[in-house]
Amino acid sequence: MKSLSIVIPVYNGANSIGQLVPELIASFSPLFKLEIVLINDCSPDDSENRCIQLFEKYPRWVKFYSLAKNVGEHNAVMAGLNNCSGDKVVIMDDDFQNPTESVIQLVTYASTTNFDVVYSYYDSKKHSLFRNLGSRFNNAVASWMLKKPTDLYLSSFKVLDRFLVEEIIKYNHPFPYIDGLILRTTSNIGKIKVVHNARQNGESGYTLSKLISLWLNMFTNFSILPLRVAMITGLIIAMCGFIYGGITIGEKLINPNLPVGYASTIASITLFSGVQLMAIGMVGEYLGRLFLCNNKHPQFSIRKSYTQEDPNITH
């Protein structure tokens, strides 16, 4: 029997995780050597106690890790990938927007193909307008910067094989972007359409600041295109400034009485200084991340572990 791991980052999932885990166990434990890896991303609700209760009730199948601080979804998933052992590894959310039937559909398809990763996609997404716009922007940028196939939707609901998991967890820097790590490792990618339900409880944990942080991870960790764009933009503006300066000198020679334009001078200074600050800030972002990497800033810190082998180990 092949083994299956299901990695679930938990954040504000106290009202859903208690129903999700038993359904997954009932569906997959007869078919696979199953482990469900729950990662509590320092959730402010009662998620930790609910996860501990699930471990105590299903110690054969459930592993639970409690993080010392909130690190975000991708870092929490990395914690799960580093502590799972399945031949196939499903990554899914705790909000029941992907029902158990969709998990079965995804795993069945992945088990009958040789793809390194299988992404899900949807006819209709039940996320908020803000979240959908963020996802579209994220996919558009990934197509440009990471050479993502344009017809591939980077869903957080996917299944990876063991080869790809082992390659991903080699990345030990503090700002992981799971899809970037997948796309830089393999082009053997599949996709399958599944149902996407409305969120049953609470609201999405993705705020504008978290989406911006995710985009920065994509920009600065997996591509130098932003630096090239800054360089090309600076070159174009410098050429425009040179041309405009030549025109200004020519006009002054033709008409010595032509007054110097205050507005154009201020506009030019503002434009050039803005571009310079943007470019300097971009370089600073790259250097800052290198500094944090060299200081071995951790992806995550596990405070408590609950596993069948070593329950409640404090790190």
PDB file of all heavy atoms in Angstrom, residues 244 248 251-252 258-269:
ATOM      1  N   TYR A 244      15.365  65.647 -24.058  1.00  0.00           N
ATOM      2  CA  TYR A 244      14.667  66.856 -23.617  1.00  0.00           C
ATOM      3  C   TYR A 244      15.659  67.985 -23.339  1.00  0.00           C
ATOM      4  O   TYR A 244      15.392  69.153 -23.662  1.00  0.00           O
ATOM      5  CB  TYR A 244      13.857  66.540 -22.366  1.00  0.00           C
ATOM      6  CG  TYR A 244      13.089  67.723 -21.822  1.00  0.00           C
ATOM      7  CD1 TYR A 244      11.965  68.206 -22.483  1.00  0.00           C
ATOM      8  CD2 TYR A 244      13.497  68.350 -20.649  1.00  0.00           C
ATOM      9  CE1 TYR A 244      11.260  69.289 -21.986  1.00  0.00           C
ATOM     10  CE2 TYR A 244      12.794  69.441 -20.148  1.00  0.00           C
ATOM     11  CZ  TYR A 244      11.678  69.912 -20.822  1.00  0.00           C
ATOM     12  OH  TYR A 244      10.987  70.991 -20.321  1.00  0.00           O
ATOM     13  N   THR A 248      15.752  71.618 -25.113  1.00  0.00           N
ATOM     14  CA  THR A 248      15.742  72.854 -24.323  1.00  0.00           C
ATOM     15  C   THR A 248      16.897  73.778 -24.715  1.00  0.00           C
ATOM     16  O   THR A 248      16.719  75.000 -24.872  1.00  0.00           O
ATOM     17  CB  THR A 248      15.823  72.523 -22.830  1.00  0.00           C
ATOM     18  OG1 THR A 248      14.732  71.671 -22.463  1.00  0.00           O
ATOM     19  CG2 THR A 248      15.771  73.779 -21.986  1.00  0.00           C
ATOM     20  N   GLU A 251      16.139  75.317 -28.125  1.00  0.00           N
ATOM     21  CA  GLU A 251      15.155  76.399 -28.040  1.00  0.00           C
ATOM     22  C   GLU A 251      15.779  77.672 -27.468  1.00  0.00           C
ATOM     23  O   GLU A 251      15.469  78.787 -27.904  1.00  0.00           O
ATOM     24  CB  GLU A 251      13.972  75.958 -27.180  1.00  0.00           C
ATOM     25  CG  GLU A 251      13.093  74.903 -27.839  1.00  0.00           C
ATOM     26  CD  GLU A 251      11.940  74.473 -26.947  1.00  0.00           C
ATOM     27  OE1 GLU A 251      12.010  74.742 -25.728  1.00  0.00           O
ATOM     28  OE2 GLU A 251      10.977  73.885 -27.474  1.00  0.00           O
ATOM     29  N   LYS A 252      16.651  77.480 -26.488  1.00  0.00           N
ATOM     30  CA  LYS A 252      17.301  78.652 -25.861  1.00  0.00           C
ATOM     31  C   LYS A 252      18.239  79.347 -26.843  1.00  0.00           C
ATOM     32  O   LYS A 252      18.337  80.587 -26.873  1.00  0.00           O
ATOM     33  CB  LYS A 252      18.074  78.197 -24.616  1.00  0.00           C
ATOM     34  CG  LYS A 252      18.605  79.346 -23.764  1.00  0.00           C
ATOM     35  CD  LYS A 252      17.470  80.139 -23.131  1.00  0.00           C
ATOM     36  CE  LYS A 252      18.004  81.195 -22.180  1.00  0.00           C
ATOM     37  NZ  LYS A 252      16.920  82.026 -21.596  1.00  0.00           N
ATOM     38  N   LEU A 258      13.788  83.247 -24.165  1.00  0.00           N
ATOM     39  CA  LEU A 258      12.847  82.234 -23.657  1.00  0.00           C
ATOM     40  C   LEU A 258      13.095  81.998 -22.170  1.00  0.00           C
ATOM     41  O   LEU A 258      14.213  81.671 -21.765  1.00  0.00           O
ATOM     42  CB  LEU A 258      13.034  80.914 -24.419  1.00  0.00           C
ATOM     43  CG  LEU A 258      12.028  79.798 -24.117  1.00  0.00           C
ATOM     44  CD1 LEU A 258      10.640  80.178 -24.653  1.00  0.00           C
ATOM     45  CD2 LEU A 258      12.495  78.492 -24.744  1.00  0.00           C
ATOM     46  N   PRO A 259      12.064  82.208 -21.306  1.00  0.00           N
ATOM     47  CA  PRO A 259      12.277  82.018 -19.861  1.00  0.00           C
ATOM     48  C   PRO A 259      12.464  80.544 -19.509  1.00  0.00           C
ATOM     49  O   PRO A 259      11.944  79.653 -20.169  1.00  0.00           O
ATOM     50  CB  PRO A 259      10.985  82.568 -19.235  1.00  0.00           C
ATOM     51  CG  PRO A 259       9.953  82.393 -20.301  1.00  0.00           C
ATOM     52  CD  PRO A 259      10.679  82.601 -21.620  1.00  0.00           C
ATOM     53  N   VAL A 260      13.246  80.306 -18.450  1.00  0.00           N
ATOM     54  CA  VAL A 260      13.466  78.940 -17.975  1.00  0.00           C
ATOM     55  C   VAL A 260      12.183  78.427 -17.324  1.00  0.00           C
ATOM     56  O   VAL A 260      11.559  79.138 -16.524  1.00  0.00           O
ATOM     57  CB  VAL A 260      14.631  78.901 -16.967  1.00  0.00           C
ATOM     58  CG1 VAL A 260      14.803  77.489 -16.406  1.00  0.00           C
ATOM     59  CG2 VAL A 260      15.902  79.381 -17.639  1.00  0.00           C
ATOM     60  N   GLY A 261      11.774  77.199 -17.638  1.00  0.00           N
ATOM     61  CA  GLY A 261      10.506  76.652 -17.140  1.00  0.00           C
ATOM     62  C   GLY A 261      10.646  76.064 -15.739  1.00  0.00           C
ATOM     63  O   GLY A 261      11.331  75.056 -15.560  1.00  0.00           O
ATOM     64  N   TYR A 262      10.015  76.707 -14.755  1.00  0.00           N
ATOM     65  CA  TYR A 262      10.068  76.208 -13.374  1.00  0.00           C
ATOM     66  C   TYR A 262       9.352  74.860 -13.253  1.00  0.00           C
ATOM     67  O   TYR A 262       9.870  73.914 -12.650  1.00  0.00           O
ATOM     68  CB  TYR A 262       9.431  77.237 -12.445  1.00  0.00           C
ATOM     69  CG  TYR A 262       9.266  76.760 -11.016  1.00  0.00           C
ATOM     70  CD1 TYR A 262      10.342  76.758 -10.136  1.00  0.00           C
ATOM     71  CD2 TYR A 262       8.039  76.293 -10.562  1.00  0.00           C
ATOM     72  CE1 TYR A 262      10.200  76.317  -8.835  1.00  0.00           C
ATOM     73  CE2 TYR A 262       7.879  75.838  -9.261  1.00  0.00           C
ATOM     74  CZ  TYR A 262       8.961  75.858  -8.400  1.00  0.00           C
ATOM     75  OH  TYR A 262       8.811  75.417  -7.117  1.00  0.00           O
ATOM     76  N   ALA A 263       8.162  74.781 -13.867  1.00  0.00           N
ATOM     77  CA  ALA A 263       7.356  73.555 -13.734  1.00  0.00           C
ATOM     78  C   ALA A 263       8.076  72.348 -14.326  1.00  0.00           C
ATOM     79  O   ALA A 263       8.091  71.255 -13.733  1.00  0.00           O
ATOM     80  CB  ALA A 263       5.998  73.749 -14.401  1.00  0.00           C
ATOM     81  N   SER A 264       8.672  72.523 -15.499  1.00  0.00           N
ATOM     82  CA  SER A 264       9.352  71.392 -16.129  1.00  0.00           C
ATOM     83  C   SER A 264      10.572  70.965 -15.314  1.00  0.00           C
ATOM     84  O   SER A 264      10.897  69.773 -15.239  1.00  0.00           O
ATOM     85  CB  SER A 264       9.776  71.768 -17.553  1.00  0.00           C
ATOM     86  OG  SER A 264      10.673  72.866 -17.536  1.00  0.00           O
ATOM     87  N   THR A 265      11.248  71.949 -14.703  1.00  0.00           N
ATOM     88  CA  THR A 265      12.411  71.616 -13.867  1.00  0.00           C
ATOM     89  C   THR A 265      12.000  70.787 -12.665  1.00  0.00           C
ATOM     90  O   THR A 265      12.610  69.745 -12.351  1.00  0.00           O
ATOM     91  CB  THR A 265      13.114  72.903 -13.396  1.00  0.00           C
ATOM     92  OG1 THR A 265      13.523  73.662 -14.528  1.00  0.00           O
ATOM     93  CG2 THR A 265      14.323  72.569 -12.540  1.00  0.00           C
ATOM     94  N   ILE A 266      10.953  71.217 -11.954  1.00  0.00           N
ATOM     95  CA  ILE A 266      10.469  70.491 -10.791  1.00  0.00           C
ATOM     96  C   ILE A 266       9.967  69.099 -11.189  1.00  0.00           C
ATOM     97  O   ILE A 266      10.235  68.087 -10.503  1.00  0.00           O
ATOM     98  CB  ILE A 266       9.359  71.280 -10.084  1.00  0.00           C
ATOM     99  CG1 ILE A 266       9.918  72.592  -9.510  1.00  0.00           C
ATOM    100  CG2 ILE A 266       8.727  70.455  -8.967  1.00  0.00           C
ATOM    101  CD1 ILE A 266      11.029  72.392  -8.507  1.00  0.00           C
ATOM    102  N   ALA A 267       9.240  69.026 -12.312  1.00  0.00           N
ATOM    103  CA  ALA A 267       8.720  67.728 -12.764  1.00  0.00           C
ATOM    104  C   ALA A 267       9.864  66.773 -13.075  1.00  0.00           C
ATOM    105  O   ALA A 267       9.812  65.583 -12.728  1.00  0.00           O
ATOM    106  CB  ALA A 267       7.838  67.925 -13.992  1.00  0.00           C
ATOM    107  N   SER A 268      10.907  67.277 -13.732  1.00  0.00           N
ATOM    108  CA  SER A 268      12.053  66.423 -14.071  1.00  0.00           C
ATOM    109  C   SER A 268      12.757  65.926 -12.813  1.00  0.00           C
ATOM    110  O   SER A 268      13.095  64.741 -12.704  1.00  0.00           O
ATOM    111  CB  SER A 268      13.035  67.202 -14.950  1.00  0.00           C
ATOM    112  OG  SER A 268      12.428  67.602 -16.155  1.00  0.00           O
ATOM    113  N   ILE A 269      12.974  66.837 -11.859  1.00  0.00           N
ATOM    114  CA  ILE A 269      13.650  66.445 -10.617  1.00  0.00           C
ATOM    115  C   ILE A 269      12.833  65.386  -9.875  1.00  0.00           C
ATOM    116  O   ILE A 269      13.359  64.384  -9.384  1.00  0.00           O
ATOM    117  CB  ILE A 269      13.885  67.677  -9.725  1.00  0.00           C
ATOM    118  CG1 ILE A 269      14.910  68.615 -10.382  1.00  0.00           C
ATOM    119  CG2 ILE A 269      14.360  67.265  -8.337  1.00  0.00           C
ATOM    120  CD1 ILE A 269      15.091  69.937  -9.652  1.00  0.00           C
TER     121      ILE A 269
END
